Amino acid sequence: MKNIHASGHVRGQSVFLDDLPVHEGTLYAAVFGSPVAHGRITGADLERARALPGVVAVFSHEDIPGKNQIGGNIRDEPLLAERELHYIGQPVFLIVAEDEWTARRARLLAGLQYEALPAITDVEEAWGREQFLFPPRTFRLGSVDEAWEHCVYHFEGEAETGAQEHLYLEPQASYAFPAPHGGMKICSSAQGPAEVQHVAARVLGLPVHRIEVEATQLGGAFGGKEGQATAWACLAALAAWRLQRPVKLVLPRQDDMRMTGKRLPCRARFRIGLSRALKILTYEATFLLDGGAAAGLSPGILERALFHATNSYYIPNVRATAFCCRTNLPPNTAFRGFGAPQAMFALEAAIARAAYELGIPARRIQEANLLKEGDEFPYGQRARQAHARQCWARAEADFDIRKKEKEVEAFNHQNASTKKGLAMMPVCFGISFTKTSMNQASALLHIYQDGSVGLSSGAVEMGQGVSTKLAQLAAMALGVQAERIRVETTDTARVANSSPTAASSGADLNGKAVQHACAQLRRRLLETAASILRAPLAEVDLHAEQVWRNGRPTALSWEKLAPEALQRRVNLSAQGYYATPLICFDREKEKGHPFAYYVYGTAAVTMAVDCIRGTYATEEVCIIHDFGDSLNPDIDQGQVEGGVVQGIGWMTSEEVGCSPDGRLLADSLSTYKIPDIYAAPDVIDCRPLGAEGPGMAALRSKAVGEPPLMYGIAAYFALIQAIRAFNPHYRPGFRAPMTPEKVLMALYQDENAAAL
Ligand code: LUZ
Ligand code: MOS
């Protein structure tokens, strides 16, 4: 089935929050953000802003009727600053006007007096001063120190990955309007409408049932709207509540880039020990994650980093510790991969480091240590249906990696000013929210009297195609054509308490809930059909829009069955519910079985470097990916392509950067460079592994959203290879992103220079 949103998206006809018709009397809001990274508020002068014609109100924290607190598990984040300022762009005032431009102009007239305090913008400094957002955690397996003594090869080093801006096409957006009987309706571009509802209720001081949050489709999210849609929704709701008028708040791109958090940058120190046969016997890593000014989703991100510290490898002795540091930067947040990419990069750096020192290809170490059936992860779960080796072997064979390597070598031999590099990247990504309680979903289905079907679930469509997959699942389960199914918006009044659409689990969890609802409806309709046909239940079946008896079609079509069932007073609505079975985790012991299953894959990336200019191109990306039994190969292929390009961007050109006083250096599209169509790989050849999927995935179709991002890590190591082919003195510092500027410096680095 085609993605039901494809034609709307490519024609620019898809409707997002800011395109919805507005209610009469709608007002527009703009956020006044902190001008300093750290400071104490000493006064405010809002009269000039209030006096501007068209300005309706300027709100501060004093106007919040409920609690000025939007933090999740850790309550450390005010909606509007009270006394202290913690990052540039932190919301301080909300200006509401008759139109957007007036609101933004009034922002320039608002005055804030403050006393500046020293800001911490460096994660090492935060670590040194023990500025932590919450306590560190450590995962352990075997005995690292004992094993270290038995290793033949020992290496230590550092690795670093940068932040990443989500750059969803649709910026953060919310629209709130008072509803009858003291309610509030919020339309929000959010991955988790239930979380927005819950926090908005806290801020407004209302019971949760008085707030309804609806998400239509989102123009991208990538994790950036998992925890961070809340502030803007609460601000719009605050103004709408105080003024009892509709209020819209859509962040201009530059506000969005300045005010919202990014992927957590990470600095890692590692120690890796190998046997003569290149078995990794011991690995120790310490991760310093930069959480920014508030915890947000960082506790989950930190633990997912630890869960993926050994990626697709079996290492018998592991100690991985992660600290989440507090800095004076916007609170960093979820981004496709959720901590796992940061940890995986560190291990690849350790492997690459060992390979260079030993003068062998990294591929040999990678291959010698891949997971096999039954291997234990540092947190106690064992790999089942472990496809790590299969993916690797298929990649080597299908893409003839040896031949490609020889070609790269020959090319480098023949060309003086262009050099190529090839690197491989295995991936093993755990599927389930790491927080066990979040692994639940529900769905609500209505069959209407003409046989058409309305489907609501907790899943938010953000371009990933989950609506299409849910329609497919419902159509299959009910035995009707997918055109009969309308996938509705995601609304807390229809489906309550849903987890955010995140962790690659949207289609899995909501798909199972849809199947559960459909099974109930199907059962009722089969009973109805049996009674109409006066046939035993065992003889009737429902598929292809038809009731069948003993394998032959009857005169009873789906279109006739639905109204007939209604006449007979059969309930044509059903709610389905799913909670992932078996998973558990014990945080005291740091052991358990947190994941329903794993997604595996192997990528090979070839990069070509222009050694005069330092520019580069991704020539080819070859991937064997473990889709299970894909529900929709087109959508899944798209997820792999988008994911790997996004990962390559993170590793290469996407540099956020910040000045020592905490100002983001890349806060617009002229300074932040994501891969465009020209920078995207010339070839992405992604082939399915073809192994059977797990029963824990809907129709054995594995989750696909996040795992492919980590294939992009190979781009960094391919670049390093190419640079070394030109400059044997180059000492890699394993600091991503490897921007063209950095590549150019690396190409001409002399032997005494510091690692780069
Ligand atoms: N969000 C979350 C996630 O709350 N928990 C997770 O485990 C997760 N994993 C990936 C992406 N988002
Ligand atoms: Mo996410 S990083 O919102 O799955």
Side-chain angles (χ1 to χ4, degrees):
M1 183 181 167
K2 277 204 176 119
N3 185 331
I4 52 185
H5 298 296
S7 80
H9 288 348
V10 298
R11 293 178 199 192
Q13 288 169 344
S14 295
V15 169
F16 301 98
L17 191 149
D18 201 24
D19 306 316
L20 296 171
V22 292
H23 298 242
E24 192 176 315
T26 291
L27 300 171
Y28 297 83
V31 181
F32 178 97
S34 168
V36 277
H38 192 197
R40 200 174 291 118
I41 298 177
T42 55
D45 174 15
L46 302 174
E47 290 322 304
R48 281 178 66 216
R50 286 196 171 114
L52 186 73
V55 170
V56 177
V58 181
F59 296 115
S60 74
H61 72 92
E62 287 169 0
D63 298 294
I64 294 171
K67 292 205 168 65
N68 181 22
Q69 182 51 251
I70 59 168
N73 288 334
I74 300 175
R75 304 283 173 98
D76 63 353
E77 192 174 358
L79 176 63
L80 290 169
E82 288 184 19
R83 275 172 293 276
E84 286 202 46
L85 302 165
H86 292 288
Y87 62 93
I88 292 178
Q90 178 183 357
V92 185
F93 307 121
L94 185 71
I95 297 164
V96 186
E98 298 288 348
D99 66 87
E100 254 175 303
W101 300 107
T102 303
R104 289 182 205 169
R105 218 167 330 121
R107 184 156 76 159
L108 302 173
L109 302 175
L112 180 71
Q113 283 98 46
Y114 57 86
E115 180 191 322
L117 298 170
I120 299 180
T121 56
D122 177 63
V123 75
E124 293 276 1
E125 186 186 346
W127 187 75
R129 295 179 180 220
E130 298 189 31
Q131 290 291 311
F132 302 129
L133 289 162
F134 46 89
R137 289 172 65 182
T138 299
F139 283 16
R140 290 183 180 86
L141 182 67
S143 167
V144 169
D145 300 313
E146 213 173 289
W148 184 253
E149 306 299 324
H150 297 124
C151 293
V152 179
Y153 307 119
H154 305 84
F155 305 101
E156 294 181 45
E158 289 183 356
E160 188 183 321
T161 48
Q164 187 174 23
E165 161 63 40
H166 301 85
L167 221 81
Y168 23 65
L169 284 175
E170 179 208 25
Q172 300 280 356
S174 56
Y175 184 31
F177 38 93
H181 316 299
M184 176 66 64
K185 168 102 188 253
I186 309 172
C187 296
S188 169
S189 180
Q191 288 174 247
E195 166 82 1
V196 171
Q197 178 197 29
H198 178 88
V199 178
R202 189 199 298 158
V203 167
L204 296 187
L206 296 174
V208 173
H209 72 190
R210 283 225 250 160
I211 312 251
E212 175 184 354
V213 179
E214 181 178 20
T216 51
Q217 62 178 343
L218 278 49
F222 309 115
K225 297 169 182 174
E226 185 181 341
Q228 299 211 342
T230 311
W232 325 110
C234 290
L235 287 172
L238 167 65
W241 184 253
R242 302 293 315 197
L243 299 168
Q244 287 296 305
R245 284 178 71 176
V247 176
K248 197 192 243 193
L249 172 57
V250 177
L251 294 191
R253 176 66 62 186
Q254 200 167 38
D255 279 9
D256 189 302
M257 292 183 79
R258 283 178 181 161
M259 294 179 171
T260 67
K262 328 220 166 288
R263 182 190 293 287
L264 279 75
C266 179
R267 207 163 291 184
R269 299 190 238 286
F270 59 78
R271 190 157 78 112
I272 189 168
L274 294 86
S275 72
R276 197 168 304 283
L278 301 182
K279 287 280 181 200
I280 305 174
L281 297 183
T282 173
Y283 177 60
E284 181 173 13
T286 304
F287 302 105
L288 308 187
L289 289 157
D290 182 347
L297 293 166
S298 293
I301 294 163
L302 178 141
E303 73 181 357
R304 193 173 272 280
L306 292 175
F307 282 120
H308 292 82
T310 57
N311 185 15
S312 204
Y313 304 104
Y314 172 64
I315 305 178
N317 303 286
V318 178
R319 184 161 60 218
T321 301
F323 294 86
C324 189
C325 302
R326 183 204 304 273
T327 58
N328 294 107
L329 293 170
N332 287 318
T333 193
F335 196 134
R336 207 173 190 170
F338 209 66
Q342 290 93 320
M344 288 186 192
F345 179 83
L347 179 51
E348 290 305 316
I351 291 172
R353 179 71 192 274
Y356 295 144
E357 306 265 354
L358 296 173
I360 57 169
R363 175 169 61 73
R364 283 189 48 206
I365 302 177
Q366 292 174 309
E367 188 174 9
N369 291 281
L370 292 170
L371 275 168
K372 59 180 188 318
E373 192 65 22
D375 279 343
E376 187 180 353
F377 290 97
Y379 47 90
Q381 187 162 345
R382 286 180 186 277
R384 301 288 171 211
Q385 292 183 297
H387 301 319
R389 286 163 182 242
Q390 241 171 299
C391 287
W392 183 278
R394 270 280 310 279
E396 285 216 316
D398 277 33
F399 303 120
D400 205 343
I401 298 296
R402 303 292 160 95
K403 185 162 156 244
K404 276 193 203 302
E405 277 179 345
K406 291 224 172 70
E407 285 166 2
V408 165
E409 223 170 281
F411 178 93
N412 288 346
H413 201 70
Q414 286 154 12
N415 292 274
S417 62
T418 309
K419 298 289 182 189
K420 292 189 185 181
L422 184 160
M424 292 183 74
M425 180 69 199
V427 170
C428 167
F429 194 84
I431 301 301
S432 287
F433 286 94
T434 55
K435 190 168 170 192
T436 301
S437 61
M438 290 175 81
N439 294 286
Q440 53 176 320
S442 36
L444 178 64
L445 269 87
H446 303 307
I447 301 173
Y448 296 100
Q449 39 193 305
D450 62 350
S452 65
V453 178
L455 183 165
S456 293
S457 79
V460 172
E461 174 65 44
M462 54 190 106
Q464 85 281 42
V466 69
S467 302
T468 304
K469 289 184 174 180
L470 294 181
Q472 282 181 267
L473 285 168
M476 279 190 259
L478 296 175
V480 299
Q481 291 185 345
E483 289 68 35
R484 292 229 184 250
I485 319 285
R486 177 180 164 84
V487 182
E488 308 283 4
T489 61
T490 312
D491 191 312
T492 56
R494 268 179 272 119
V495 173
N497 306 319
S498 51
S499 291
T501 300
S504 306
S505 69
D508 264 19
L509 298 176
N510 294 282
K512 291 270 191 182
V514 164
Q515 287 182 317
H516 184 235
C518 289
Q520 298 169 52
L521 293 170
R522 189 180 167 84
R523 171 88 198 175
R524 290 178 211 154
L525 286 168
L526 282 172
E527 282 167 0
T528 308
S531 131
I532 294 169
L533 298 171
R534 296 175 207 284
L537 187 59
E539 287 182 11
V540 292
D541 192 15
L542 182 56
H543 61 90
E545 304 245 316
Q546 197 71 42
V547 176
W548 300 63
R549 182 168 181 189
N550 287 328
R552 266 184 237 113
T554 68
L556 195 54
S557 67
W558 171 266
E559 266 178 11
K560 287 188 199 141
L561 178 60
E564 187 55 36
L566 203 58
Q567 281 302 314
R568 294 174 180 235
R569 298 191 291 175
V570 174
N571 177 4
L572 290 184
S573 297
Q575 196 239 11
Y577 176 80
Y578 179 72
T580 312
L582 300 175
I583 53 175
C584 61
F585 196 71
D586 179 340
R587 275 169 207 241
E588 295 288 307
K589 301 196 178 84
E590 301 285 28
K591 298 281 177 192
H593 187 105
F595 298 119
Y597 59 89
Y598 297 89
V599 170
Y600 295 89
T602 296
V605 174
T606 310
M607 305 284 294
V609 175
D610 177 332
C611 300
I612 308 295
R613 297 173 183 82
T615 53
Y616 45 75
T618 310
E619 286 214 319
E620 192 181 28
V621 175
C622 299
I623 297 167
I624 299 294
H625 185 84
D626 172 24
F627 294 102
D629 306 315
S630 176
L631 258 179
N632 192 313
D634 286 344
I635 286 176
D636 287 357
Q637 189 83 19
Q639 285 294 302
V640 172
E641 290 175 5
V644 69
V645 172
Q646 201 164 35
I648 291 172
W650 176 51
M651 285 287 110
T652 58
S653 65
E654 296 183 37
E655 188 172 41
V656 173
C658 99
S659 67
D661 62 354
R663 199 166 297 278
L664 291 179
L665 297 177
D667 62 1
S668 72
L669 287 170
S670 62
T671 46
Y672 189 75
K673 179 69 181 152
I674 65 163
D676 57 14
I677 193 66
Y678 303 104
D682 298 335
V683 179
I684 302 179
D685 186 349
C686 173
R687 303 183 192 174
L689 175 65
E692 190 188 46
M696 303 268 255
L699 291 187
R700 299 185 179 275
S701 171
K702 283 191 169 185
V704 70
E706 296 172 284
L709 182 127
M710 284 148 277
Y711 295 141
I713 291 173
Y716 176 91
F717 294 94
L719 276 177
I720 298 296
Q721 300 277 12
I723 297 166
R724 283 172 62 92
F726 182 82
N727 176 8
H729 299 309
Y730 169 54
R731 290 200 300 124
F734 303 111
R735 288 197 280 270
M738 203 63 193
T739 58
E741 295 92 316
K742 230 149 102 185
V743 169
L744 188 63
M745 289 192 283
L747 287 165
Y748 297 96
Q749 187 185 53
D750 68 38
E751 55 206 295
N752 303 318
L756 187 69

